[in-house]
């Protein structure tokens, strides 16, 4: 833990940063008397080059104009920024940690996209047919397309039925109660709500 008497940067805002959008970040600095008049740079492993830091007010509040991040390995990842004195190439203690997130990762269909926490501002975009941040979309879809079944497991069974099966597909809803009726051919099946997951549900033939 940094010494409270040491120069350091802290309290970044906002804490959520979407990929693909250059989002300004403001933060605070303290115990920086020895760095008065210095020029600072900011960086992280996910940035290809460092960025410039500007002073917002009385040498205690600072601003970074942002960086258009790219990241698609996980839906979100913690990113810690470092700050360095440009003239001395010396890093200063920093607790500037934010969460970088990508709406597209693991949200391959509209139902999964609409199930994302509202704080991420993810929307199903009609122009790209994908889940992206609202500010990147020019035509947001209000309703999802009809459900599509892509696979049924198992694909073979006894003529009299009475076996459990699972359907896989897309846009099958984001709540268990949305499934009202399931049939195989014209034969009604019983739905197992407890085994429902997004874009997948279990039934008994």
């Amino acid at each position: 833990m940094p010494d409270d008497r040491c120069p350091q940067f802290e309290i970044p805002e906002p804490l959520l940063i979407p990929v693909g959008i250059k989002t300004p970040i403001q933060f605070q600095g303290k115990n920086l008397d020895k760095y008065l008049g210095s020029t600072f740079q900011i960086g992280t492993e996910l940035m290809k080059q460092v960025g410039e830091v500007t002073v917002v007010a009385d040498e205690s509040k600072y601003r970074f104009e942002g960086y258009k991040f790219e990241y698609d390995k996980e839906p979100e990842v913690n990113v810690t920024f470092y700050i360095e004195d440009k003239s001395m190439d010396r890093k200063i203690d920093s607790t500037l940690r934010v969460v970088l997130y990508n709406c597209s990762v693991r949200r391959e269909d509209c139902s999964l996209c609409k199930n994302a926490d509202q704080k991420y501002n993810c929307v199903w975009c009609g122009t790209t047919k994908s889940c992206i941040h609202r500010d990147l979309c020019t035509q947001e879809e209000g309703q999802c397309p009809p459900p599509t079944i892509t696979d049924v497991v198992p694909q073979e069974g006894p003529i009299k039925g009475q076996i459990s099966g699972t359907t896989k597909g897309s846009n099958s809803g984001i709540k268990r109660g949305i499934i009202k009726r399931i049939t195989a051919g014209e034969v009604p099946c019983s739905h197992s709500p407890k085994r429902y997951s997004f874009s997948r549900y279990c039934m008994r033939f």
Side-chain angles (χ1 to χ4, degrees), residues 178-204:
I178 200 171
I179 306 299
K180 302 299 183 182
R181 183 169 60 93
I182 301 175
T183 60
E186 297 182 357
V187 179
C189 304
S190 58
H191 178 220
S192 301
K194 291 183 179 180
R195 298 180 64 183
Y196 172 86
S197 63
F198 306 120
S199 297
R200 177 180 300 186
Y201 41 88
C202 183
M203 58 188 176
R204 188 168 182 81

Side-chain angles (χ1 to χ4, degrees), residues 11-189:
I11 315 177
E13 293 182 0
L15 294 175
L16 287 174
I17 306 294
V19 300
I21 298 177
K22 190 175 181 180
T23 305
I25 302 173
Q26 295 198 52
F27 50 92
Q28 297 181 21
K30 65 180 183 180
N31 304 324
L32 298 172
D33 294 346
K34 63 182 293 185
Y35 292 99
L36 288 177
S38 296
T39 300
F40 299 114
Q41 296 181 142
I42 187 171
T44 182
E45 292 181 357
L46 293 180
M47 292 171 57
K48 296 180 180 179
Q49 67 275 336
V50 295
E52 294 293 327
V53 173
T54 57
V55 180
V56 177
D58 60 27
E59 300 290 340
S60 65
K61 294 184 179 180
Y62 298 83
R63 178 183 174 93
F64 167 48
E65 291 303 323
Y67 181 84
K68 189 178 290 187
F69 286 98
E70 297 179 4
Y71 185 81
D72 60 4
K73 294 181 180 179
E74 296 289 340
E76 61 180 48
V77 63
N78 290 326
V79 174
T80 301
F81 292 95
Y82 64 81
I83 304 288
E84 63 182 13
D85 182 338
K86 186 176 182 179
S87 62
M88 303 176 65
D89 196 25
R90 176 186 298 172
K91 291 184 180 179
I92 304 170
D93 284 341
S94 165
T95 57
L96 303 179
R97 175 175 290 184
V98 301
V99 175
L100 179 69
Y101 68 94
N102 188 333
C103 289
S104 299
V105 177
R106 298 182 188 171
R107 300 185 182 98
E108 295 83 5
D109 65 40
C110 181
S111 290
L112 295 173
C113 185
K114 288 185 176 296
N115 186 58
D117 194 307
Q118 292 184 356
K119 67 182 180 181
Y120 295 122
N121 285 308
C122 297
V123 299
W124 186 256
C125 193
T127 52
T128 62
K129 301 300 180 185
S130 62
C131 188
I132 58 178
H133 189 275
R134 177 172 280 110
D135 290 349
L136 295 173
C137 180
T138 57
Q139 184 181 340
E140 179 181 344
E141 293 286 354
Q143 292 186 333
C144 290
T148 300
I149 294 177
T150 58
D151 193 16
V152 178
V153 180
Q155 295 186 353
E156 297 180 353
I159 295 177
K160 293 183 179 180
Q162 299 302 309
I163 63 171
S164 295
T166 300
T167 65
K168 301 177 183 179
S170 61
N171 298 314
S172 60
I174 59 176
K175 296 180 180 179
R176 295 177 180 177
I178 200 171
I179 306 299
K180 302 299 183 182
R181 183 169 60 93
I182 301 175
T183 60
E186 297 182 357
V187 179
C189 304

